[in-house]
Amino acid sequence: MPTPPTAGSAPRAPRPSRRSVLAAMAAAVPAAGLPVLSGRASAAPAAGALPGGGDLGPNVLVFDPATPNIQGTLDEIFKRQESAQFGEGRFALLFKPGTYCGLNAQIGFYTSIAGLGLSPGDTTFHGDVTVDAGWFNGNATQNFWRSAENLTLHPVNGTNRWAVAQAAPFRRMHIKGGLNLAPDGYGWASGGYIADSRIDGSVARYSQQQWYTRDSSVGGWNNAVWNMVFSGVEGAPAQSFPDPPYTTLDTTPVSREKPFLYLDGADYKVFLPEKRTNARGTTWGSGTPRGESLPLGQFYVAKPGVDAATLNAALSQGLNLLLTPGIYHLDRPVEVRRPNTVVLGLGYPTLVPDNGATAMKVADVDGVRLAGFLIDAGPVNSATLLEVGPEGASADHAANPTTVQDVFIRIGGAGPGKATTSMVINSNHTLIDHTWVWRADHGDGVGWETNRADYGVRVNGDDVLATGLFVEHFNKYDVEWRGERGRTVFFQNEKAYDAPNQAAIQNGDIKGYAAYKIADGVTAHEGWGLGSYCYYNVDPTIRQDHGFQAPAKPGVKLHHLLVVSLGGKGQYEHVINSIGAPTSGTSTVPSTVVSYP
């Protein structure tokens, strides 16, 4: 039976944010005494081998409808995590199938809430799963690193509030009512992601600046600010960019939903949804979702404190990895070499390479699934933090691609960190489905050279698709795309706020590095709903030539582009290459290009 966590040290108050000119308002330890979750391992391991299955550790809480004082436990965890933006607490809140009444699960930093059914309707709340921004004076632009999955909600007042920013996925949710994406008081909010969900009522965006919704169903969508993108969404508004700024694709070219833990009777399993092409609507609306299940006994259940050598030994044995909540320090890369390996995190487990290593490397093999964890750069510069495929990878993975889902990367903020290139995608056909790659603009260890990180995401593989690509604040290119036939559906970016002067970002004869650069030699590429913002608050006189840079080739096509100067702190001269009107003044009005060329 879950019991409240014991009192720990108070969380650190965050430093004032510079995330937006409109948002310039002014560490918990792991819990002890919480119950463990046991799963049935398949068979006893051979002598000297690592076991599969087992308990999920103290920071995974499992509830059933008979659990006493569920609300008290939820409130205590939220109290610890509400403002612990760079704290060490990590929690997964899992609810067995059944009906729960009168709950309001407020979700703070590094907290995941999920149902344990095979479909969202198996676990029903007559209540709410709430994210608000009281901790930050009604400003939701820093509500990062939290999630809700696989639940049906009957909101108490008819509308559930989910006021989040980046790295806060909302997956496999059924809301029998409306969904409000703004904080109480309609304060600022910046970014978000919905997938495989059904909202019976309307989604009210209010102050949300940008949002991406994929393969879902909505009863309606009310208004927009800068960039609202939909693919495969039943009930989505008609395409109308830039006024209102709706980008709507009837289907998603390729998608495969995130793996998830569920209960099959008394046994814990991980469900692996199948790949879909030209997808539209949820995977579960017509009955049992399609895919396959793996028993927990086929996973090495990792706990904080385990080293990279042990993780690699488990992978070499043929086990998958289930990373339980906590922080994992690595002295070498985690090496994923076997096809169809699953690396799944619960409650935002965080990988930290301490000595300049790459945190994780994936071989050029079929069907690897990476999902639900955070990589934090260490104090010694890493050449890369995540590599999918080695340099020169060339295999065809069209039938069974690797997926990178809810995998977030951070450089600085929680402390000093450096990385030359954060995420490198070398394998062909990789699906990047919701990532936030962030060079920190606030917190500890932050400064133009202190958390130096030149490149955010570099794509060398061919036929790579990104759905929900958030990349921010890198010293040079945020995204650099070198592979052929790449596609991006929704891109959100802010250029580095802290550039000291014009010379610091000069790129040859170009003023500033593009947020999204397609390499000169690329002949085919397509993107929809792409936005870049600047807020050069250290030197507001900085000029950025453009947000996007692309070769003039018939096969390179970009749709619905915008750039925004936040309050006039720096300006863009153009949107893409030398096309598009400059931003000007302090009005924070986007400059747009409907199509390129």
Side-chain angles (χ1 to χ4, degrees):
M1 179 182 72
T3 55
T6 57
S9 57
R12 288 184 298 191
R15 294 185 177 183
S17 169
R18 300 174 311 205
R19 285 193 50 75
S20 163
V21 67
L22 302 171
M25 298 181 284
V29 298
L34 294 174
V36 297
L37 166 66
S38 293
R40 297 181 181 178
S42 53
L50 294 166
D55 76 80
L56 296 183
N59 283 12
V60 175
L61 283 73
V62 180
F63 304 88
D64 64 46
T67 302
N69 195 27
I70 297 175
Q71 188 65 57
T73 302
L74 297 175
D75 290 347
E76 181 62 28
I77 292 171
F78 178 66
K79 180 180 177 181
R80 297 184 57 177
Q81 299 303 112
E82 180 183 12
S83 59
Q85 182 172 178
F86 299 113
E88 296 183 354
R90 305 284 190 274
F91 292 94
L93 312 175
L94 306 181
F95 286 78
K96 292 182 179 181
T99 300
Y100 301 78
C101 296
L103 295 181
N104 180 18
Q106 299 183 82
I107 306 300
F109 285 100
Y110 312 110
T111 304
S112 298
I113 187 169
L116 285 170
L118 190 56
S119 294
D122 296 337
T123 308
T124 298
F125 279 23
H126 289 271
D128 297 80
V129 173
T130 302
V131 177
D132 207 343
W135 74 278
F136 201 44
N137 300 317
N139 168 12
T141 60
Q142 292 184 31
N143 282 347
F144 314 136
W145 304 306
R146 63 199 74 198
S147 64
E149 298 185 45
N150 208 26
L151 296 165
T152 291
L153 305 182
H154 294 260
V156 169
N157 68 357
T159 300
N160 190 77
R161 186 184 302 278
W162 186 256
V164 297
Q166 289 79 2
F170 198 78
R171 292 182 180 269
R172 296 178 58 77
M173 296 289 287
H174 186 184
I175 310 301
K176 295 199 170 183
L179 185 65
N180 184 347
L181 304 180
D184 187 31
Y186 307 101
W188 301 108
S190 177
Y193 172 94
I194 293 172
D196 202 23
S197 293
R198 177 178 174 181
I199 295 91
D200 292 347
S202 289
V203 179
R205 170 225 49 84
Y206 299 117
S207 55
Q208 273 287 354
Q209 295 162 349
Q210 64 276 314
W211 198 277
Y212 175 52
T213 306
R214 178 181 64 70
D215 298 353
S216 294
S217 173
V218 298
W221 192 281
N222 296 332
N223 47 51
V225 177
W226 294 335
N227 194 26
M228 301 285 125
V229 179
F230 308 83
S231 68
V233 177
E234 298 167 346
Q239 184 162 293
S240 57
F241 185 93
D243 186 22
Y246 294 139
T247 296
T248 302
L249 283 69
D250 189 57
T251 61
T252 302
V254 184
S255 61
R256 188 171 69 189
E257 298 303 331
K258 176 176 173 283
F260 61 92
L261 188 71
Y262 77 103
L263 271 172
D264 182 8
D267 296 322
Y268 286 89
K269 296 182 178 180
V270 172
F271 190 76
L272 308 179
E274 71 175 12
K275 188 188 78 168
R276 298 198 291 170
T277 57
N278 298 318
R280 181 172 174 83
T282 68
T283 62
W284 47 268
S286 300
T288 302
R290 296 172 63 89
E292 62 177 317
S293 294
L294 298 178
L296 193 63
Q298 292 184 19
F299 286 79
Y300 175 70
V301 180
K303 311 291 193 337
V306 69
D307 60 12
T310 303
L311 296 174
N312 285 331
L315 291 168
S316 295
Q317 269 180 227
L319 292 171
N320 303 289
L321 296 182
L322 191 67
L323 305 174
T324 65
I327 298 175
Y328 297 73
H329 289 272
L330 307 174
D331 64 350
R332 68 194 73 175
V334 176
E335 302 267 6
V336 181
R337 298 174 178 171
R338 179 176 55 84
N340 302 310
T341 299
V342 179
V343 180
L344 176 62
L346 300 178
Y348 289 93
T350 303
L351 310 180
V352 184
D354 292 320
N355 59 353
T358 297
M360 185 174 292
K361 293 184 178 183
V362 179
D364 193 25
V365 296
D366 272 0
V368 172
R369 304 185 195 224
L370 310 180
F373 56 90
L374 175 66
I375 297 176
D376 227 343
V380 178
N381 184 73
S382 293
T384 59
L385 293 171
L386 173 63
E387 294 181 16
V388 177
E391 185 176 353
S394 59
D396 185 317
H397 305 295
N400 188 12
T402 285
T403 49
V404 181
Q405 299 179 285
D406 302 346
V407 174
F408 308 121
I409 295 179
R410 178 173 65 191
I411 301 93
K418 292 184 178 182
T420 302
T421 307
S422 292
M423 180 186 293
V424 179
I425 306 296
N426 292 316
S427 285
N428 299 330
H429 303 100
T430 299
L431 301 181
I432 308 169
D433 179 44
H434 191 226
T435 188
W436 184 40
V437 182
W438 184 56
R439 175 182 168 264
D441 61 277
H442 62 274
D444 292 336
V446 171
W448 183 249
E449 296 295 343
T450 306
N451 62 328
R452 182 84 192 186
D454 283 351
Y455 307 105
V457 175
R458 178 174 289 157
V459 179
N460 296 318
D462 294 337
D463 301 289
V464 171
L465 172 64
T467 52
L469 183 61
F470 300 75
V471 189
E472 296 189 306
H473 304 306
F474 286 84
N475 295 78
K476 292 185 178 179
Y477 294 121
D478 298 276
V479 172
E480 189 177 13
W481 208 295
R482 298 173 174 178
E484 288 287 357
R485 297 175 301 280
R487 291 175 291 182
T488 295
V489 184
F490 183 87
F491 170 68
Q492 186 267 329
N493 165 263
E494 289 181 357
K495 294 301 299 174
Y497 295 163
D498 55 346
N501 49 51
Q502 188 76 48
I505 63 164
Q506 195 67 20
N507 181 15
D509 60 356
I510 298 174
K511 294 191 287 285
Y513 289 80
Y516 189 106
K517 174 182 168 60
I518 303 167
D520 294 344
V522 170
T523 61
H525 188 95
E526 195 160 11
W528 299 263
L530 316 176
S532 177
Y533 324 142
C534 73
Y535 182 58
Y536 288 117
N537 64 328
V538 175
D539 182 359
T541 69
I542 288 176
R543 310 292 293 191
Q544 176 89 19
D545 261 350
H546 44 237
F548 303 90
Q549 185 177 348
K553 306 279 181 64
V556 176
K557 302 174 182 180
L558 300 176
H559 316 277
H560 302 177
L561 311 171
L562 69 146
V563 295
V564 182
S565 169
L566 301 178
K569 304 293 187 184
Q571 301 288 348
Y572 291 91
E573 304 280 8
H574 305 284
V575 179
I576 178 169
N577 298 346
S578 58
I579 300 169
T583 57
S584 62
T586 60
S587 57
T588 314
V589 174
S591 177
T592 63
V593 167
V594 173
S595 64
Y596 171 85

